[in-house]
Amino acid sequence: MTSRASLTRRSLVGLAAAGLAVTLLPVQGTATAAPPPRPAGAPAQLPAPTGPYEIGTVSARLVDRSRHDPWVPSRPYRELMVSVWYPAASGAASGAGERHPRADYMAPGAAARWDATSPHGIPKGAVDFAATRTHAREGAPADTRGGRHPVLVYAAGSGDPRTWGTALVEELASRGYVVVTVDHTYENPGVQFPDGSVKDDGPLREALEEAQKNGTLTELLKKTLDVRVADSTFVLDSLGSLPHGLSKAVDPRRVGMVGQSAGGIAAAETMYEDRRVKAGVDLDGTLEFNPEPNGTNLMPVAEHGLDRPFLLMGSDRPTEPSWRSFLSHSTGWQRNLTLKGSRHQSYTDLSVLLPRSGADRKVVEENIGTIDPARSVAAQRAYVASFFDRWLKGKDDGLLDGPSAAYPEVEFTD
């Protein structure tokens, strides 16, 4: 599979290609207590955000009572875990003490289950995900002195936790965005809820086994995307009731969406179906339903395009057929960028975590390529922020007008 073809190791298509080889934890999609702690490696260090704002974060459970859970129909509602990242009032970091400590990267139960999968080549126990700290202050007051902020929804790849793009999300929050990150329940190995229960990905894996037996993989991929879009729409519906009073900090007229792999797909398709999304970014996600994308089973957004600004940013592989269709049918502003020397997981925190995990060079290059990790993170932050600044803030730094000497690893693709 090419990197754009393989949405991620546990992605919509990656589930079919490699997902069953990943350890399946013995929970059948029900709420369970968090697993007991086990020895872990050292905490990781994420790159500090560079924007002018200090940042805060809070997490919350959202419940959509208008639908049954699509993966566990016996549940009469759909519940999601989200985190909200936002510009914090000046001084939130200094003297915060125990009131606003640096937030955990992952909840303990979710971290244990994520580590158990050896995520994307990180050896089991090499990184202590639960002990890793972000740069955001838990529950810090929001900075609203300059008025409301644009709001972004961030979607991780299928099978990945909502934390898997924290390096990018923190950067966007530090530049003046409120960012809502979403866990799609029953898609990744562990989603931990406030009561301590953890829900795993058993229901989706069972659906995958059935689809492989029955030859209905395409239908499953379509359902998975439909669930993602419905979840994203529900999150947009919930912007007026965000936790910690943060609804007062967001401008619902300036909404964007960004995601990696299946999250990028969800960004594109949600934008196609919901006009509240004014601008979107797809980080290396294909736009078709084939296990090996070849341009013959396109998603609606690839067939019809978009009439609003959209940025495609991909790994260093041949052009994805569905992207060509999307670009040819879109009438809105668009760019197609390639990060030279990158691979599919370059667009996640794996760029930071894998090289320091003790994984061998072959594993590193297979997952995040040969590009220098610091340059990879810097380029993604710069171009994604430039895009949203241009279309949600009306501030154009010109970075997206053409190749830049500051970022020679970024190639503009026709």
Side-chain angles (χ1 to χ4, degrees):
M1 277 190 175
T2 65
S3 61
R4 287 175 188 162
S6 58
L7 306 182
T8 173
R9 190 165 65 114
R10 281 174 299 278
S11 66
L12 298 178
V13 171
L15 278 169
L20 291 179
V22 180
T23 302
L24 179 58
L25 297 168
V27 182
Q28 300 304 314
T30 56
T32 65
R38 64 185 192 79
Q45 182 66 45
L46 298 174
T50 67
Y53 289 96
E54 297 174 21
I55 55 177
T57 188
V58 294
S59 297
R61 172 180 178 259
L62 300 182
V63 181
D64 183 357
R65 300 191 183 278
S66 70
R67 56 183 170 135
H68 285 240
D69 191 282
W71 301 116
V72 184
S74 61
R75 299 185 69 86
Y77 55 84
R78 174 71 167 163
E79 60 180 343
L80 306 171
M81 280 301 297
V82 302
S83 292
V84 187
W85 308 74
Y86 53 90
S90 180
S94 60
E98 295 182 0
R99 290 188 304 115
H100 304 300
R102 287 175 60 180
D104 296 341
Y105 183 73
M106 296 184 77
R113 292 180 181 278
W114 184 237
D115 177 68
T117 70
S118 299
H120 303 292
I122 296 178
K124 290 182 184 179
V127 175
D128 190 338
F129 294 103
T132 296
R133 299 289 177 263
T134 68
H135 297 90
R137 295 287 170 170
E138 185 73 42
D143 189 328
T144 57
R145 291 172 301 170
R148 293 174 178 262
H149 301 282
V151 59
L152 307 174
V153 175
Y154 173 83
S158 185
D160 293 338
R162 69 184 189 275
T163 57
W164 207 228
T166 298
L168 175 61
V169 167
E170 287 195 319
E171 178 71 10
L172 292 167
S174 79
R175 295 194 186 204
Y177 293 89
V178 175
V179 188
V180 184
T181 61
V182 186
D183 262 335
H184 298 277
T185 313
Y186 303 120
E187 266 199 38
N188 77 56
V191 180
Q192 184 166 333
F193 286 84
D195 64 359
S197 65
V198 181
K199 293 181 173 65
D200 81 335
D201 55 355
L204 182 55
R205 289 178 178 276
E206 289 177 8
L208 173 62
E209 287 192 70
E210 285 298 312
Q212 290 176 316
K213 290 177 184 176
N214 301 331
T216 56
L217 181 59
T218 294
E219 288 74 13
L220 176 60
L221 301 182
K222 289 179 178 178
K223 176 181 177 177
T224 307
L225 178 60
D226 288 344
V227 172
R228 283 259 175 156
V229 171
D231 288 349
S232 301
T233 298
F234 171 62
V235 170
L236 295 178
D237 293 341
S238 302
L239 293 179
S241 56
L242 292 177
H244 202 56
L246 288 169
S247 292
K248 296 178 181 178
V250 305
D251 184 349
R253 299 166 302 175
R254 293 186 291 166
V255 176
M257 189 165 175
V258 54
Q260 184 263 349
S261 189
I265 298 168
E269 191 65 28
T270 301
M271 189 169 168
Y272 176 73
E273 298 186 25
D274 194 325
R275 296 199 65 83
R276 288 176 294 182
V277 184
K278 306 301 183 186
V281 178
D282 177 357
L283 302 174
D284 211 43
T286 186
L287 297 175
E288 62 179 290
F289 294 114
N290 292 320
E292 290 286 350
N294 58 19
T296 62
N297 197 359
L298 300 175
M299 296 171 183
V301 68
E303 287 189 294
H304 304 290
L306 289 168
D307 60 359
R308 283 151 288 154
F310 201 83
L311 174 65
L312 296 165
M313 195 168 183
S315 54
D316 196 1
R317 296 282 184 155
T319 302
E320 214 292 317
S322 66
W323 284 21
R324 291 196 298 267
S325 176
F326 169 81
L327 293 167
S328 67
H329 289 95
S330 291
T331 58
W333 183 98
Q334 57 192 247
R335 287 289 184 274
N336 181 7
L337 307 179
T338 297
L339 190 58
K340 292 185 288 186
S342 69
R343 291 294 181 268
H344 192 57
Q345 284 293 323
S346 295
Y347 291 96
T348 72
D349 289 344
L350 197 71
S351 283
V352 178
L353 302 177
L354 186 59
R356 304 174 187 175
S357 71
D360 63 42
R361 180 175 177 179
K362 181 180 179 181
V363 171
V364 171
E365 292 187 357
E366 285 176 349
N367 282 275
I368 62 172
T370 56
I371 186 172
D372 176 79
R375 293 297 304 169
S376 177
V377 171
Q380 293 171 54
R381 285 174 160 185
Y383 281 88
V384 172
S386 177
F387 171 80
F388 285 122
D389 282 354
R390 183 170 184 166
W391 297 109
L392 298 182
K393 291 185 177 181
K395 298 179 179 180
D396 184 6
D397 62 5
L399 185 62
L400 288 158
D401 291 341
S404 168
Y407 298 100
E409 50 276 287
V410 176
E411 181 179 76
F412 282 63
T413 305
D414 295 332

